[in-house]
Amino acid sequence: MSTSMKTGADILIDAVHKEGTEYIFGYPGGSAIPIFDALLDSPIKFILTRHEQGATHMADGYARATGKPGVVLVTSGPGATNTTTGIFTARMDSIPIVVICGQMPTYTLGLDAFQEADVSGISSPIVKHSYLIKNIEDIPRIVKEAFYIAQTGRPGPVLIDVPKDISSKMIEPMNLSSGFSLPGYKIPDRIEQKDIETAVKYLNEAKKPIIMVGHGAIISKANKAISFLVEKMRIPVINTLLGKGCFPETHELNLGMPGMHGTAYANKALVECDLIMAIGARWDDRIISNAEVFCPKALKIHIDIDPSEINKVIEVDLAITGDAKKVVEAINAIAKKGSTEDWVKFVTRLKKQFPLKYKKEGKLKVQHVLDELYKLTEGKSIIATDVGQHQMWTAQFYKTSFPNQWISSGGAGTMGFGLPAAIGAQIGVPEKQVIAVVGDGGFQMTMNELATAAINKLPIKIIVINNRFLGMVRQWQNIFYDNRLSGVDLDGNPNFVQIAKSYGIKGFFIKRSADVKKILSEALKYNEGPCLIDIEVEKEDNVYPMVPAGAPLSDMMLEPPKKRSNKPVTGGV
C-alpha cells in the first residue's frame, strides 16, 4: 500500500485545517472514531466538552468573539441530535459554525442501525446548508463549500454528516479537487446608486431621524462607517440586543437598546421619530412589539444582506440589499452634515428625564451588582450571558463599546448558553477578560461544562445571579397572570460555591450590598483559572422598563402596575 494513502478522516481533518481552524469542540463516539483518530496527527487542538450542546455553544461563543467560524465534532445518533439546540441558536443569530457528525456506514442508512439518525433531515430547518458525504472524493470540496457558506452573506451553521465507511476508506489524495460547486448560491453584491441617493435624501429631509444598529452591522464590520455617518449627520443611535458594541453605548448620541426591556428614552425617541434606518437589523418582535402601530409616521429604511428579511415583518419605504459596511460607506460618500440640533437636544433631555435606576436599600439588587461590575471592569470585558432577567439587566447596565464584546442568545433565547459561550470566547481571545453572567436556572442546564473551563485553566469569571426563581417567567406570571406562580420556584438550588469547588474552581459568595465591590474586585483579580461568584439577590424583583408583548411602545411600563392583569398576552417570554 502506498505510504501516501490517506483515510477519508485524514482528508477531512486536513481540509478543515486548511480553512484556518485552530480548535474543534466536541465529544467522541463510535461513528466518529476514525475522525478523532485523524485529529491526533493534526495541529488542531481538540476541546473535549461534557455535552454536545455545550460544544455547539462553545463554537458559537468562539465565533462571536473572534469573527472566525467555530467547529464542532460529534458522533452519530444522540450525539448529533444533542447539537440541535446549539445549531438553532447559531442559526437564529447568524453565527458561522460548522458541525461535523459521524454517521453509520452508508450501507446501513435507512435500516435503523444502532445510533443512526437522519441528522441532515432533522437539522434541515435550522441550518444554512447540510451535507451527507457519500463519496470520499467529495470531501475536500464539501469542506471548502461548508466553510464558505457558513461565513458569507448572512452567516449561519452548516452541517456535514460523515458515514463511518467514508471516513475509514483509504484513497490516494493527490488528485482530489477542492473547487466550488454552488449553483444558486449568490451573495448580493450590487448596490444601486439611486437607492443610496434616495437614502441620503430621506436622511437629509428628516427632522427626527434614528439609526437602528443590529448584529448584521457587527458581522459586516460596519462599525467605523456607522460612526462616521452618525458623527457627520448627528443622528441618534439605538442598538438591538445583538447590536450592542457596534456603536459605543457611552457615546452621547447612543440611546441604548429599544423594545420590551429597552431604555425608556430609546422607546420614547422611537415613538417621536420621523425616520428610522435599520442597519443589519431584522425588526424582531422584541423591538417592534406590534407591527401595525410601530412608528406609523416614520419613514423606514432597511439595509440587510438577506433579501428574505426585506418586508418580512415591517413594510419599509426603502430597502437596500447588500453588505452593511459597503452600503453605509456609499451613503457616507455623498451624505451632508445634518441639521438635527433640536432633535439631539430633545433625546438628550429624554436620557436625563428617564434614566435607568434602581433602589439600593433592602435586599441586594441585580442592577447594583451589574452596575458595580461595569465600573470595576471599566466596560472593557467581553460579556457572555444566559437568557432571562439577568440578561436584560446586563444589557441595560453593562454598556459596550467595541464589536464582538457582547455575546448573548437573541433569537432563540437559549437558556444554558452563557457558560459554554464564555468558554469558547475565552479560548478564542485568551488575551481578554471574559465574564459569564448567568441565571441560576440556565446555569444548571450546562454547568457540567465547569469541567471544561477547569481542565483548560480558563480565567473566566462566572457570575451566577441567584434568585431561586425562573425570574422572567415569574415576572410575567406576576404581572399578567395575577401572580399565579406555576413551575418557577427553584428553591432546590444546590450550593453553587461547593459545586465549583468540586471541580477545583474557586468560589465566592455575595449576599450583602456592602460586600459587592470588595468581593467582585477580588474575583476579577483571580487569574489561576476560572472562578465562580454566587450572588444571592432579591427574589422577586422585576425588570423595567417593560413593554407588554403585542402592545405599542407608548404603553411602556416604567414601574410595577398598580393593578395586576390576568388578561392573556401574546408572544413568548
Side-chain angles (χ1 to χ4, degrees):
M1 183 175 67
S2 171
T3 56
S4 64
M5 296 283 283
K6 286 191 174 185
T7 66
D10 291 327
I11 295 167
L12 175 74
I13 293 299
D14 285 348
V16 170
H17 182 245
K18 286 178 182 178
E19 295 298 325
T21 303
E22 297 176 296
Y23 297 93
I24 290 179
F25 304 87
Y27 203 92
S31 294
I33 285 177
I35 306 174
F36 277 86
D37 183 71
L39 262 180
L40 290 174
D41 299 319
S42 168
I44 298 173
K45 183 175 181 180
F46 178 70
I47 305 296
L48 175 63
T49 67
R50 291 303 181 267
H51 193 278
E52 292 89 352
Q53 180 180 342
T56 52
H57 291 330
M58 287 181 206
D60 184 316
Y62 174 91
R64 296 191 201 220
T66 64
K68 298 184 289 186
V71 183
V72 178
L73 174 59
V74 298
T75 193
S76 63
T81 59
N82 279 343
T83 67
T84 54
T85 298
I87 293 172
F88 167 54
T89 303
R91 179 60 169 157
M92 288 291 282
D93 292 349
S94 306
I95 307 302
I97 64 173
V98 176
V99 179
I100 301 169
C101 305
Q103 180 56 277
M104 298 306 295
T106 55
Y107 50 82
T108 68
L109 296 182
L111 302 179
D112 292 332
F114 177 68
Q115 290 194 334
E116 178 197 348
D118 179 12
V119 66
S120 297
I122 291 169
S123 64
S124 179
I126 55 172
V127 295
K128 192 174 177 185
H129 194 62
S130 64
Y131 292 92
L132 171 61
I133 300 180
K134 296 182 179 180
N135 188 330
I136 189 173
E137 295 181 0
D138 292 335
I139 291 176
R141 173 185 60 79
I142 285 175
V143 169
K144 190 167 187 177
E145 287 179 9
F147 276 82
Y148 179 76
I149 292 170
Q151 298 176 80
T152 54
R154 181 179 183 175
V158 177
L159 183 140
I160 305 175
D161 207 15
V162 189
K164 193 172 183 179
D165 58 325
I166 300 297
S167 59
S168 301
K169 186 176 181 179
M170 303 287 289
I171 193 174
E172 184 79 42
M174 293 178 58
N175 298 319
L176 296 182
S177 171
S178 59
F180 276 67
S181 177
L182 293 172
Y185 182 74
K186 296 181 180 179
I187 302 166
D189 59 358
R190 181 180 178 183
I191 301 171
E192 297 290 343
Q193 185 61 24
K194 64 177 183 179
D195 290 338
I196 299 299
E197 292 170 357
T198 302
V200 172
K201 176 178 179 292
Y202 286 165
L203 289 169
N204 285 334
E205 292 175 350
K207 301 298 181 184
K208 297 181 287 186
I210 282 179
I211 290 175
M212 180 167 70
V213 178
H215 189 215
I218 293 176
I219 293 170
S220 74
K221 298 179 174 60
N223 51 300
K224 291 183 179 179
I226 290 171
S227 293
F228 182 89
L229 177 63
V230 170
E231 294 282 7
K232 186 174 185 177
M233 300 197 73
R234 300 292 293 169
I235 300 176
V237 174
I238 57 176
N239 50 257
T240 67
L241 176 68
L242 297 187
K244 280 173 67 70
C246 186
F247 184 77
E249 291 183 287
T250 52
H251 194 285
E252 61 172 339
L253 291 174
N254 191 298
L255 303 178
M257 183 178 72
M260 182 173 285
H261 293 295
T263 64
Y265 38 88
N267 285 336
K268 287 181 177 291
L270 271 175
V271 171
E272 296 293 329
C273 77
D274 62 5
L275 179 146
I276 176 169
M277 182 165 75
I279 305 174
R282 58 186 178 87
W283 310 94
D284 73 276
D285 61 288
R286 295 288 130 153
I287 290 175
I288 68 164
S289 189
N290 187 332
E292 294 180 1
V293 295
F294 177 75
C295 301
K297 298 179 181 179
L299 280 171
K300 299 174 184 70
I301 303 172
H302 191 184
I303 300 168
D304 205 294
I305 192 75
D306 185 356
S308 71
E309 289 294 339
I310 303 298
N311 294 323
K312 185 174 83 174
V313 179
I314 290 283
E315 289 288 332
V316 298
D317 299 280
L318 175 64
I320 305 177
T321 304
D323 177 79
K325 180 182 177 182
K326 293 179 180 178
V327 173
V328 176
E329 286 177 341
I331 290 174
N332 287 341
I334 60 174
K336 300 177 181 178
K337 185 177 180 181
S339 55
T340 58
E341 292 86 354
D342 291 342
W343 176 233
V344 170
K345 289 178 182 178
F346 175 77
V347 297
T348 301
R349 287 197 300 270
L350 287 178
K351 292 174 75 172
K352 293 179 180 178
Q353 189 177 355
F354 300 99
L356 291 168
K357 58 184 179 180
Y358 58 92
K359 296 179 180 179
K360 286 191 176 182
E361 62 268 18
K363 294 183 179 179
L364 178 57
K365 300 291 192 297
V366 181
Q367 302 95 311
H368 177 190
V369 174
L370 298 170
D371 196 19
E372 197 62 58
L373 179 70
Y374 174 73
K375 293 173 183 174
L376 289 170
T377 59
E378 299 179 340
K380 296 179 180 178
S381 297
I382 289 179
I383 302 294
T385 80
D386 229 284
V387 171
Q389 286 183 314
H390 71 277
Q391 177 192 32
M392 295 296 100
W393 275 316
T394 309
Q396 290 176 349
F397 285 89
Y398 202 99
K399 297 179 180 179
T400 52
S401 56
F402 57 89
N404 304 324
Q405 181 182 7
W406 176 260
I407 298 173
S408 192
S409 172
T414 305
M415 293 178 67
F417 174 81
L419 171 60
I423 291 171
Q426 188 70 84
I427 288 172
V429 286
E431 73 282 2
K432 294 184 178 179
Q433 184 178 71
V434 177
I435 301 173
V437 182
V438 299
D440 50 340
F443 176 56
Q444 292 183 78
M445 293 184 175
T446 54
M447 71 179 180
N448 52 338
E449 299 302 347
L450 287 172
T452 308
I455 289 170
N456 290 282
K457 295 181 172 58
L458 302 174
I460 60 173
K461 320 302 174 189
I462 306 155
I463 295 177
V464 181
I465 302 299
N466 186 354
N467 62 3
R468 290 182 168 80
F469 266 123
L470 294 176
M472 190 60 85
V473 181
R474 182 207 57 76
Q475 175 169 335
W476 279 47
Q477 291 176 345
N478 171 250
I479 297 173
F480 302 114
Y481 290 86
D482 200 27
N483 205 38
R484 289 165 55 84
L485 304 185
S486 177
V488 293
D489 195 324
L490 293 180
D491 265 343
N493 278 349
N495 184 319
F496 292 120
V497 170
Q498 291 300 320
I499 291 284
K501 288 181 179 178
S502 73
Y503 283 99
I505 293 173
K506 187 172 181 61
F508 299 87
F509 179 72
I510 301 175
K511 186 175 182 179
R512 301 188 312 141
S513 297
D515 294 333
V516 171
K517 184 175 182 179
K518 177 184 176 182
I519 296 178
L520 272 185
S521 296
E522 185 180 351
L524 289 169
K525 292 175 184 176
Y526 182 80
N527 281 311
E528 296 177 24
C531 68
L532 180 146
I533 310 99
D534 180 7
I535 306 180
E536 189 174 310
V537 298
E538 166 66 51
K539 286 191 70 173
E540 300 186 54
D541 202 5
N542 288 343
V543 184
Y544 292 101
M546 181 180 185
V547 179
L553 296 178
S554 55
D555 285 358
M556 174 178 57
M557 297 184 295
L558 299 177
E559 57 188 19
K562 294 180 181 179
K563 183 179 180 180
R564 295 190 182 99
S565 169
N566 59 4
K567 295 180 181 179
V569 291
T570 59
V573 173

